[in-house]
Amino acid sequence: MKLGFFTANFTEKPLEEVMQMIQPYGYEALEIPAYEGNGQLETAEILKGNNAANLKKLAAGYGMTLEALSNHSDSFLIMGPGGKETDFIFKGTPEEKIKHGTESLIRTAQAANALEIPTVVGYPGVENWGRFFFFPYGEGWAEYEEQFVERFTPVLDKFQEYGVRFAIEIHPNSFVYDLKTAVRALELVNYHPALGYNFDPANTLYLMLEPATVIDTLKDRVYHVHAKDAELAKHNLGAGGTLMHGDMRALDHTYRFRIPGWGQIDWKSVITELSMVGYNGILSYEHEDVTMSRMDGVKKTAAFLKPLLIEAPYEGRTDKLFNKD
């Protein structure tokens, strides 16, 4: 495993400046945003001339590899919401938003192919997450299942054509929000080889899922991992519960994103289970911690996680007691 860095942590800075900032702390790989207008990488530009080769060379010069592209933004439009909630991503009719999101996500797969990046991370979106409730209209989620198959099967086929995998981030407010819906999505597309998951343990804590169970169930469909922690503030849970909304900086908020090691995730357990299912990718540090600066996170995350990373799987024993050949 390698320690990675999600450059969207500093989207106001060009990629090379981000690389210069994080290199001294031992980050080895990059996840780069690829939704339109992100300020660091435009997919239409990376597909021109030698731009892809030049970016790979730039990263290599800082001792880093390119491991993932992120299209969390535009991909969200494919299943919605299609109203004013997503106008900040793209303004248009619901149909125009679906078209924009689909084209952007497929172009991201093309860019990943050009950069020899194996994985694109994103969301499928969903028109109304509230319909996960069985009341008052229990059939609502089944209708979204039909949408998922219709809208994402052609996208996944294009990903397979480009030799790239789509890693859905399991996340509230999206069609895939827990382990059950993650397994169901795979079933719906007949376990399409291009479909897998971005595992972010902070998101599982929000819904009180067990991270090790998620990893052990999804196994080799874990295509990417975000290094992000979280906490459910025990002193606030009794008043706000797990679905409290509002500013996470509020002192009475029940849920906070944290940097690795400062929340409630058992990172030794997470890394152990990832190793057990054969994951040998990156842990991509994503900063959403409202309690400290991004540079605090850069330094502290590297110091905490690097000693925990498993560099190679167990070889087995070859002494006489264990080798009967």
Side-chain angles (χ1 to χ4, degrees):
M1 299 180 199
K2 294 180 180 180
L3 183 60
F5 191 88
F6 189 12
T7 64
N9 295 332
F10 292 100
T11 47
E12 78 280 11
K13 300 181 184 296
L15 278 175
E16 185 168 12
E17 186 174 340
V18 177
M19 294 179 201
Q20 291 170 344
M21 290 169 60
I22 66 174
Q23 184 191 38
Y25 303 100
Y27 290 91
E28 304 171 88
L30 300 175
E31 174 186 358
I32 302 172
Y35 50 88
E36 288 196 3
N38 67 79
Q40 290 184 338
L41 185 152
E42 292 294 335
T43 53
E45 290 301 313
I46 210 69
L47 292 170
K48 295 178 181 177
N50 295 321
N51 289 345
N54 291 339
L55 179 55
K56 288 195 299 179
K57 184 177 179 181
L58 176 67
Y62 288 94
M64 299 174 193
T65 59
L66 306 180
E67 297 293 337
L69 294 181
S70 155
N71 196 328
H72 288 79
S73 182
D74 295 337
S75 64
F76 203 77
L77 300 173
I78 297 177
M79 289 185 67
K84 64 180 181 180
E85 306 96 328
T86 51
D87 279 352
F88 74 98
I89 300 173
F90 180 83
K91 277 195 174 184
T93 65
E95 293 74 21
E96 289 170 338
K97 290 184 177 187
I98 294 167
K99 183 174 184 291
H100 174 81
T102 302
E103 291 177 350
S104 174
L105 187 55
I106 291 173
R107 192 166 55 252
T108 305
Q110 287 179 282
N113 173 276
L115 290 163
E116 297 181 296
I117 290 176
T119 306
V120 171
V121 186
Y123 297 127
V126 72
E127 187 61 36
N128 177 8
W129 187 53
R131 293 175 88 180
F132 77 85
F133 293 114
F134 58 87
F135 175 85
Y137 184 59
E139 295 80 9
W141 208 258
E143 294 172 359
Y144 292 148
E145 290 184 350
E146 295 175 8
Q147 283 185 10
F148 179 75
V149 173
E150 176 187 344
R151 296 179 189 179
F152 271 92
T153 299
V155 173
L156 293 171
D157 288 344
K158 294 299 288 185
F159 267 70
Q160 187 175 14
E161 178 184 332
Y162 292 123
V164 178
R165 308 174 302 185
F166 182 48
I168 289 176
E169 180 163 346
I170 301 169
H171 195 284
N173 290 18
S174 191
F175 176 69
V176 177
Y177 66 88
D178 64 2
L179 183 54
K180 299 287 187 181
T181 50
V183 172
R184 180 60 178 154
L186 287 167
E187 294 172 348
L188 288 168
V189 293
N190 298 314
Y191 291 86
H192 197 293
L195 179 62
Y197 293 101
N198 172 55
F199 175 68
D200 186 325
N203 298 341
T204 65
L205 185 72
Y206 182 70
L207 294 176
M208 301 183 74
L209 306 177
E210 172 52 54
T213 302
V214 175
I215 295 167
D216 289 350
T217 301
L218 297 179
K219 300 182 180 66
D220 60 353
R221 295 289 175 148
V222 178
Y223 289 164
H224 188 68
V225 176
H226 272 167
K228 192 172 77 202
D229 213 323
E231 64 177 330
L232 286 164
K234 294 178 182 178
H235 58 288
N236 292 332
L237 274 171
T242 59
L243 296 180
M244 183 177 177
H245 60 79
D247 189 346
M248 286 189 186
R249 291 172 293 184
L251 284 177
D252 66 345
H253 207 288
T254 57
Y255 184 77
R256 300 181 184 122
F257 287 126
R258 304 304 311 273
I259 66 166
W262 284 66
Q264 294 164 346
I265 298 298
D266 181 348
W267 284 96
K268 287 183 179 178
S269 172
V270 166
I271 291 170
T272 295
E273 294 309 306
L274 287 170
S275 177
M276 292 292 285
V277 301
Y279 182 79
N280 195 32
I282 70 168
L283 272 62
S284 180
Y285 159 54
E286 179 183 22
H287 189 99
E288 294 181 348
D289 191 322
V290 299
T291 74
M292 66 180 72
S293 74
R294 293 170 292 174
M295 280 308 299
D296 272 323
V298 168
K299 300 170 186 177
K300 290 176 171 58
T301 294
F304 174 77
L305 277 183
K306 279 190 75 67
L308 301 182
L309 295 181
I310 295 174
E311 296 180 5
Y314 177 49
E315 306 90 336
R317 288 182 60 171
T318 57
D319 57 283
K320 188 172 183 178
L321 287 173
F322 291 86
N323 186 1
K324 305 214 172 22
D325 294 337

